Structure formats: C-alpha cells, structure tokens
Amino acid sequence: MKILVTGGAGYIGSHTCVELLQNGYEVIVVDNLCNSKEESLRRVQEITGKSLSFYKVDLLDRDHLDEVFSKHSIQAVVHFAGFKSMGESVSIPLKYFHNNVSGTLILLEVMKKYNIHNFVFSSSAGVYGDVKIVPIPEKAPLGVLNPYSRTKLMIEDILRDLYIAEQAWNIAILRYFNPVGAHPSGKIGEDPNDIPNNLTPYVAQVAIGRRPFVRVWGNDYPTPDGTGIRDYIHIMDLAAGHIKALEKLERNLGLVTYNLGTGRGYSVLEVITAFEKACQQKIPYKIMDRRPGDAAISYADPTKANLELNWYAKRTLEDMCIDTWLWQSQNPCGYP
Ligand code: UD1
C-alpha cells in the first residue's frame, strides 16, 4: 500500500516513516524542508534498509503537489506538514493560518481530484485548551489558547464538515500529547532549529553543554512538586499509533478521533531527574516565573485508542530519556 507522508522529514514524520517502511508500506514523502533536513530521510532508509521517494514540495504549491499524485497511485495520506511553534504563532498568526490551514485545504482538494479518501491527521492536545479535568477524554470540551492550536482545531472542524458532506472519506484525527524521545538507534531524533521551546530537547542541550541550565517555568502550580505535569509519549509509540490508525481506515470506518498519550503524567522535575539518570550527570536548573499559557496538569485518557485501535504506549519515561540522550550525544548539533 502506497502512503503519502507530508512533512515526512520532520521529527514525528521521520519516525513514522520508519514504522511505515518496517510494516511493509511504500512511502512517498513531500516536505518543503523549511524546518527539517533531507538527511533524516537518508537515515530512515539506513535504519530500515528500505527506500522511499522524496519530493521537495510545498503544500501551497498545488501544481507540484498534483504532479506527485499523478506519478504515484497513492492510497492514503498521513499529514504532518505544518508550522508548530506556539510562541511564533502568537506573534505571526497569519503565517500559521495560511500555511497550516490553506496547505491542508489544497492537499484535501488534490486528494479529492485523485479520488483518494484515506487521511490521517496530526492534531494536538492543544485543542483541549485550558484543561479543567484530567485525564482528558476525546469528548472533553474543545477550545484553544493560541493560533497554532487554533489551526489544528480549524482543520479538525474542516475534516468533520467534509465527512458530513462526503462519506466516502475515511479520516483519523490523532491528538498527540507530548512526543519525546528518539529512534533507539540514535540515528534520527528531534532537531530544533533555534532555542528549543519544548522541555526535553532543552534538557538534552543542557546535558550536552550547549546551554547552561534548564529554565523551569514555575514551581508554584498545584502539583506535588509545584512544577507542571504533562503526558510525555515516546516518539516510537506515537509513530506506531499511525500504523494502527491506517489499519483502522483500511476497514473503512468513517471519521474517528483518538488521543495518543500514555495516560500518566510526569512533572518537569521528574523529567529532569529521569534525564540525569539516563545521561549520568547533573542537569543544572533554575526556577523561573510561570510561562504564560501553560496549564498546570495535562494528561490523556487513552482508553479509546487502546480499545478501538489495540494501541498502547509501551515505552517508559526512562526509555524516552535514554533514547533522547543517545540521539543527542551521537548528534550534538543535530543533523549535519
Ligand atoms: C507545547 C505546546 C503545544 C505543543 C507541544 C508539542 C505550549 C504552551 N504548548 O506543549 O502546543 O503541541 O508543545 O510538544 O507551548 N518547561 C520548562 N522549561 C522549558 C520548557 C518547558 O519548565 O524550557 C515546562 C513547561 O512549563 C511544561 C512542560 O515543561 O510544564 C512541558 O512543556 P513543553 O515541552 O513546552 O510542552 P507543552 O507546553 O505541554
């Protein structure tokens, strides 16, 4: 089965390509490389011993995207491509709406033209906005706190309307919690362009000596140690969720929405301690003021994905830290 992966050179995309190839799928990647490097795809092929096709194409470039569809008999699309910096989206919202929403619309239109209706969408726990109750089930109220998350919610809404109008579509919306870790080979991993916003890449850069200390955003939250609690999920577990979603779509089951999380939360200080164990060194940190827009506690109720997809997050926080450290120590400055 031929799968088109948009944003396949990125962090989640590249790990999902490994899983797809290892599960016997043929993979075609389109990526404009604005926030990723082609080297990740070379390494995906090295890890799997299998080849994939790559096109440096922007989703906003309808003609070139159309050409890719005309060359391959694609059967399903896994859609990762999009800007993902929450902070940047607050200062440049139009950039986010244009790229993420318009890019998706063009992709869906081209799919429709070629009569392809199987679609897996990379959404985010950000669509739950200001979390009131944990664990968060899929039916929790939706609402967003920033333009980045709004693009995810807008695309979800577009997909729901599309399915109501045209039931030929098979759509899986996957709401990711906090993806961390790397492939256990240490060959591919998260390679942020600038100063990392997310916790684990920042911790990893402190461990490797690129930054002096971790800034812990607040220790006065109503949590046992006062720091924020999140549902960190190993990137390979997350990648495996996409295979399960594709298998579900092959059985033609309409529009489905799943949380991909472990169902358990860890605090910032617990993550730092686990990372210290993995890299066998002290990680200096300083307590700072809270970061605006951060929730105190967020973790998934993953029961629906467990039961309906037979998908379970298997890897532990320890695995996440060991694999992140292997990637970071083997690639101190990311991809060459
Ligand atoms: C963030 C994004 C979310 C996105 C997700 C992708 C925000 C508000 N949300 O989620 O939209 O889908 O990443 O993984 O940016 N922390 C520190 N120091 C740091 C970095 C983080 O103490 O240098 C803390 C945060 O306050 C939070 C936890 O670590 O309690 C996790 O933060 P982060 O990795 O940025 O993820 P989220 O904020 O949950």
Side-chain angles (χ1 to χ4, degrees), residues 86 124 178 197-199 215-217 230 232 291 294:
M86 190 280 290
S124 161
N178 291 57
N197 283 312
N198 294 124
L199 180 63
R215 299 163 304 172
V216 175
W217 303 125
R230 294 290 182 278
Y232 298 94
R291 182 172 68 176
D294 269 351

Side-chain angles (χ1 to χ4, degrees), residues 84 86-87 124-126 146 148-149 176-180 190 196-203 214-218 221 227-230 232 268 291-296 298:
K84 61 174 186 179
M86 190 280 290
S124 161
N146 55 69
Y148 157 75
S149 300
Y176 311 148
F177 279 69
N178 291 57
V180 300
E190 187 168 12
N197 283 312
N198 294 124
L199 180 63
T200 54
Y202 203 100
V203 172
V214 179
R215 299 163 304 172
V216 175
W217 303 125
Y221 285 105
T227 64
I229 289 179
R230 294 290 182 278
Y232 298 94
V268 176
R291 182 172 68 176
D294 269 351
S298 163

Side-chain angles (χ1 to χ4, degrees), residues 35-300:
N35 194 19
S36 58
K37 302 212 176 80
E38 201 177 336
E39 174 66 11
S40 67
L41 294 174
R42 198 194 60 71
R43 295 190 186 185
V44 164
Q45 297 174 87
E46 187 184 315
I47 291 168
T48 57
K50 296 184 176 167
S51 58
L52 52 75
S53 309
F54 170 62
Y55 297 88
K56 185 171 181 293
V57 167
D58 193 310
L59 294 186
L60 296 169
D61 179 352
R62 185 189 296 266
D63 292 344
H64 282 111
L65 185 64
D66 193 301
E67 232 171 76
V68 176
F69 277 84
S70 70
K71 275 197 196 135
H72 298 274
S73 44
I74 292 160
Q75 284 150 292
V77 174
V78 182
H79 178 37
F80 295 106
F83 293 144
K84 61 174 186 179
S85 163
M86 190 280 290
E88 188 188 49
S89 79
V90 173
S91 31
I92 327 175
L94 294 182
K95 174 176 167 182
Y96 275 69
F97 292 121
H98 184 61
N99 185 70
N100 294 9
V101 181
S102 305
T104 304
L105 286 175
I106 292 171
L107 174 64
L108 291 168
E109 283 166 0
V110 177
M111 285 179 68
K112 196 167 140 81
K113 176 178 166 192
Y114 285 88
N115 224 9
I116 300 157
H117 295 102
N118 293 329
F119 192 68
V120 178
F121 175 57
S122 155
S123 188
S124 161
V127 299
Y128 295 117
D130 192 12
V131 176
K132 296 277 190 307
I133 298 167
V134 285
I136 309 171
E138 287 83 354
K139 60 179 186 312
L142 304 179
V144 297
L145 299 172
N146 55 69
Y148 157 75
S149 300
R150 192 177 309 284
T151 67
K152 295 292 181 188
L153 186 53
M154 285 169 79
I155 295 166
E156 284 200 8
D157 285 338
I158 288 167
L159 293 172
R160 283 185 278 268
D161 283 343
L162 179 60
Y163 179 66
I164 290 169
E166 300 175 19
Q167 272 146 42
W169 286 89
N170 291 304
I171 297 169
I173 293 171
L174 303 180
R175 294 180 181 151
Y176 311 148
F177 279 69
N178 291 57
V180 300
H183 187 268
S185 65
K187 288 184 198 293
I188 57 172
E190 187 168 12
D191 182 20
N193 260 348
D194 303 314
I195 302 171
N197 283 312
N198 294 124
L199 180 63
T200 54
Y202 203 100
V203 172
Q205 291 195 2
V206 171
I208 204 78
R210 279 173 70 182
R211 318 214 170 261
F213 56 87
V214 179
R215 299 163 304 172
V216 175
W217 303 125
N219 69 346
D220 56 352
Y221 285 105
T223 62
D225 66 19
T227 64
I229 289 179
R230 294 290 182 278
D231 187 337
Y232 298 94
I233 172 170
H234 195 293
I235 189 74
M236 294 311 298
D237 281 332
L238 193 77
H242 295 74
I243 308 297
K244 295 287 190 180
L246 278 170
E247 288 168 358
K248 175 98 178 163
L249 296 190
E250 282 163 37
R251 301 193 294 270
N252 282 326
L253 287 172
L255 184 145
V256 286
T257 304
Y258 297 109
N259 283 339
L260 295 184
T262 66
R264 103 147 266 194
Y266 287 98
S267 73
V268 176
L269 295 184
E270 284 175 313
V271 171
I272 293 177
T273 305
F275 208 92
E276 285 179 332
K277 227 173 127 197
C279 69
Q280 306 214 321
Q281 53 174 295
K282 268 302 220 206
I283 309 275
Y285 67 85
K286 282 189 190 164
I287 306 292
M288 318 292 281
D289 287 342
R290 290 182 182 193
R291 182 172 68 176
D294 269 351
I297 306 180
S298 163
Y299 57 92

